[in-house]
Short mmCIF file of all heavy atoms in Angstrom, two decimals:
data_model
loop_
_atom_site.label_atom_id
_atom_site.label_comp_id
_atom_site.label_asym_id
_atom_site.label_seq_id
_atom_site.Cartn_x
_atom_site.Cartn_y
_atom_site.Cartn_z
N GLY A 1 133.96 136.23 86.79
CA GLY A 1 132.66 136.86 86.72
C GLY A 1 131.81 136.50 85.52
O GLY A 1 130.78 137.15 85.28
N LEU A 2 132.19 135.51 84.74
CA LEU A 2 131.38 135.05 83.60
C LEU A 2 130.43 134.00 84.10
O LEU A 2 130.80 132.83 84.26
CB LEU A 2 132.27 134.54 82.47
CG LEU A 2 133.36 135.50 81.99
CD1 LEU A 2 134.18 134.86 80.86
CD2 LEU A 2 132.77 136.83 81.53
N GLU A 3 129.19 134.36 84.36
CA GLU A 3 128.24 133.49 85.02
C GLU A 3 127.29 132.77 84.07
O GLU A 3 126.68 131.77 84.44
CB GLU A 3 127.42 134.30 86.03
CG GLU A 3 128.23 134.95 87.12
CD GLU A 3 128.82 133.95 88.09
OE1 GLU A 3 128.21 132.88 88.30
OE2 GLU A 3 129.90 134.22 88.65
N HIS A 4 127.13 133.30 82.85
CA HIS A 4 126.16 132.74 81.91
C HIS A 4 126.78 132.76 80.50
O HIS A 4 127.70 133.55 80.23
CB HIS A 4 124.89 133.57 81.91
CG HIS A 4 124.16 133.55 83.23
ND1 HIS A 4 123.26 132.57 83.55
CD2 HIS A 4 124.23 134.38 84.30
CE1 HIS A 4 122.77 132.78 84.76
NE2 HIS A 4 123.35 133.89 85.23
N PRO A 5 126.25 131.94 79.60
CA PRO A 5 126.73 131.95 78.22
C PRO A 5 126.74 133.33 77.60
O PRO A 5 127.68 133.69 76.89
CB PRO A 5 125.77 131.01 77.51
CG PRO A 5 125.40 129.99 78.55
CD PRO A 5 125.27 130.82 79.82
N ALA A 6 125.72 134.14 77.89
CA ALA A 6 125.68 135.49 77.35
C ALA A 6 126.87 136.33 77.79
O ALA A 6 127.36 137.16 77.03
CB ALA A 6 124.38 136.20 77.76
N ASP A 7 127.34 136.11 79.03
CA ASP A 7 128.54 136.84 79.49
C ASP A 7 129.74 136.46 78.65
O ASP A 7 130.58 137.34 78.35
CB ASP A 7 128.81 136.50 80.96
CG ASP A 7 127.68 136.91 81.89
OD1 ASP A 7 126.97 137.89 81.58
OD2 ASP A 7 127.48 136.24 82.91
N CYS A 8 129.85 135.21 78.30
CA CYS A 8 130.99 134.77 77.50
C CYS A 8 130.94 135.37 76.10
O CYS A 8 131.96 135.80 75.55
CB CYS A 8 131.01 133.23 77.40
SG CYS A 8 131.37 132.41 78.96
N LEU A 9 129.74 135.40 75.52
CA LEU A 9 129.62 135.98 74.18
C LEU A 9 129.97 137.45 74.18
O LEU A 9 130.61 137.95 73.26
CB LEU A 9 128.20 135.78 73.66
CG LEU A 9 127.75 134.33 73.46
CD1 LEU A 9 126.40 134.29 72.74
CD2 LEU A 9 128.79 133.50 72.71
N THR A 10 129.59 138.17 75.23
CA THR A 10 129.96 139.57 75.36
C THR A 10 131.49 139.70 75.46
O THR A 10 132.11 140.55 74.80
CB THR A 10 129.32 140.20 76.58
OG1 THR A 10 127.90 140.16 76.42
CG2 THR A 10 129.75 141.65 76.75
N ALA A 11 132.10 138.84 76.29
CA ALA A 11 133.55 138.87 76.47
C ALA A 11 134.29 138.57 75.18
O ALA A 11 135.34 139.15 74.88
CB ALA A 11 133.98 137.90 77.57
N LEU A 12 133.74 137.69 74.37
CA LEU A 12 134.38 137.29 73.14
C LEU A 12 134.31 138.36 72.05
O LEU A 12 134.96 138.24 71.01
CB LEU A 12 133.76 135.97 72.62
CG LEU A 12 134.16 134.73 73.41
CD1 LEU A 12 133.28 133.54 73.00
CD2 LEU A 12 135.63 134.43 73.23
N GLN A 13 133.55 139.41 72.29
CA GLN A 13 133.57 140.52 71.36
C GLN A 13 134.88 141.30 71.43
O GLN A 13 135.26 141.97 70.47
CB GLN A 13 132.40 141.48 71.65
CG GLN A 13 131.01 140.85 71.53
CD GLN A 13 130.67 140.48 70.12
OE1 GLN A 13 131.23 141.02 69.16
NE2 GLN A 13 129.71 139.57 69.95
N THR A 14 135.57 141.20 72.55
CA THR A 14 136.79 141.98 72.73
C THR A 14 138.03 141.15 73.06
O THR A 14 139.14 141.64 72.93
CB THR A 14 136.61 143.04 73.83
OG1 THR A 14 136.13 142.40 75.02
CG2 THR A 14 135.57 144.09 73.41
N CYS A 15 137.81 139.92 73.51
CA CYS A 15 138.93 139.03 73.87
C CYS A 15 138.88 137.77 73.03
O CYS A 15 137.85 137.44 72.42
CB CYS A 15 138.90 138.68 75.38
SG CYS A 15 139.19 140.10 76.44
N ASP A 16 139.98 137.04 73.04
CA ASP A 16 140.08 135.85 72.18
C ASP A 16 139.48 134.61 72.79
O ASP A 16 139.21 133.63 72.08
CB ASP A 16 141.57 135.56 71.87
CG ASP A 16 142.24 136.77 71.21
OD1 ASP A 16 141.68 137.28 70.25
OD2 ASP A 16 143.32 137.18 71.69
N GLY A 17 139.29 134.59 74.09
CA GLY A 17 138.73 133.42 74.79
C GLY A 17 137.99 133.84 76.03
O GLY A 17 138.23 134.91 76.60
N ALA A 18 137.11 132.95 76.46
CA ALA A 18 136.35 133.16 77.70
C ALA A 18 136.47 131.91 78.55
O ALA A 18 136.21 130.81 78.07
CB ALA A 18 134.87 133.46 77.40
N MET A 19 136.87 132.11 79.80
CA MET A 19 137.05 130.98 80.74
C MET A 19 136.07 131.13 81.87
O MET A 19 135.95 132.19 82.49
CB MET A 19 138.47 130.95 81.30
CG MET A 19 138.68 129.92 82.41
SD MET A 19 140.34 129.99 83.14
CE MET A 19 141.25 129.03 81.90
N VAL A 20 135.32 130.06 82.16
CA VAL A 20 134.41 130.04 83.31
C VAL A 20 134.95 129.08 84.37
O VAL A 20 135.62 128.10 84.06
CB VAL A 20 132.98 129.63 82.89
CG1 VAL A 20 132.40 130.63 81.92
CG2 VAL A 20 132.94 128.22 82.32
N GLY A 21 134.67 129.39 85.62
CA GLY A 21 135.16 128.57 86.72
C GLY A 21 134.05 128.03 87.57
O GLY A 21 133.39 127.06 87.22
N ARG A 22 133.78 128.69 88.71
CA ARG A 22 132.81 128.19 89.69
C ARG A 22 131.43 128.05 89.08
O ARG A 22 130.67 127.17 89.48
CB ARG A 22 132.75 129.09 90.90
CG ARG A 22 134.11 129.28 91.59
CD ARG A 22 134.58 128.05 92.31
NE ARG A 22 136.02 128.05 92.49
CZ ARG A 22 136.70 127.11 93.18
NH1 ARG A 22 136.04 126.10 93.71
NH2 ARG A 22 137.99 127.17 93.30
N ALA A 23 131.07 128.88 88.14
CA ALA A 23 129.75 128.78 87.51
C ALA A 23 129.59 127.50 86.72
O ALA A 23 128.49 126.97 86.57
CB ALA A 23 129.47 130.00 86.62
N ALA A 24 130.70 126.98 86.18
CA ALA A 24 130.63 125.70 85.47
C ALA A 24 130.50 124.56 86.46
O ALA A 24 129.81 123.57 86.18
CB ALA A 24 131.88 125.52 84.61
N TYR A 25 131.17 124.67 87.59
CA TYR A 25 131.10 123.59 88.58
C TYR A 25 129.74 123.57 89.26
O TYR A 25 129.15 122.49 89.49
CB TYR A 25 132.21 123.72 89.64
CG TYR A 25 132.32 122.49 90.49
CD1 TYR A 25 133.03 121.38 90.02
CD2 TYR A 25 131.73 122.40 91.73
CE1 TYR A 25 133.13 120.20 90.76
CE2 TYR A 25 131.83 121.24 92.51
CZ TYR A 25 132.53 120.16 92.02
OH TYR A 25 132.62 119.03 92.78
#
């Protein structure tokens, strides 16, 4: 569900890494 860079930055506030899948492809 990480669709945009902003989603990853939000996720990185609480987790050590953010992985994107279909949105990158």
Side-chain angles (χ1 to χ4, degrees):
L2 305 180
E3 299 291 331
H4 297 273
D7 298 330
C8 292
L9 297 188
T10 298
L12 287 169
Q13 298 293 339
T14 53
C15 294
D16 303 310
M19 173 184 279
V20 298
R22 304 288 158 177
Y25 192 80

